Amino acid sequence: MKSIIIYYSFGGNTQKVAELLNTYLKDKGQSELIRLKDLKEPQGFFTQARKALMHSKTVIEETKFNLAEYDLICLGTPVWAFGPAPAVNTYLDKCFGLEEKEVVLFSTYGSGSGNTRCLNFMQQALRNKKVNGFRRFSVQQIKTNNADFILTRIKKIGL
Ligand SMILES: Cc1cc2nc3c(=O)[nH]c(=O)nc-3n(C[C@H](O)[C@H](O)[C@H](O)COP(=O)(O)O)c2cc1C
């Protein structure tokens, strides 16, 4: 199985989950890891929250948008103001080649308020890309150093 994990992380929590997922999927075949880079990265909680609340897009560093060669596509974000970070909004808009693919959406969050809304929004953003099926998991920020916990979450969705 050929997998790819594309994620954005500002503070490193989502990165930890993405890296663990990558190690896990490498055991099952091939896996690539891509961290999205926001070239206009908003700084400061209120600017970040405002942009996320408006579901703003941004400018991201050129990356792999064609996902046709992968069997499993994993997309990760921190929850920002009940939604994905702007870099993820941009990627969801620009990616292609997801027809008949399995997609895993994952997030890290603080309190958890808006987490479901964030994942729903991501799923909705891909609605026209003919994805075969979605699986989702989330990890609270305080658990992002707990590899066993994260692996349990990953296995729970059948990966
Ligand atoms: C601007 C901003 C908005 C956030 N909004 C939410 C939120 O709506 N709900 C929530 O549970 N956590 C929220 N958080 C907490 C983050 O989702 C959490 O810290 C996440 O693990 C950060 O991931 P990162 O270290 O990969 O950037 C917010 C954090 C920031 C910086």
Side-chain angles (χ1 to χ4, degrees), residues 5 7 14-24 33 106:
I5 302 155
Y7 72 98
T14 313
Q15 180 167 14
K16 287 179 206 158
V17 176
E19 284 174 350
L20 200 74
L21 181 59
N22 187 40
T23 307
Y24 180 81
L33 187 63
F106 67 96

Side-chain angles (χ1 to χ4, degrees), residues 42 44-55 80-81:
F45 183 87
F46 290 107
T47 309
Q48 291 169 339
R50 182 170 44 80
K51 289 199 178 285
L53 205 53
M54 296 187 301
H55 299 305
W80 277 8

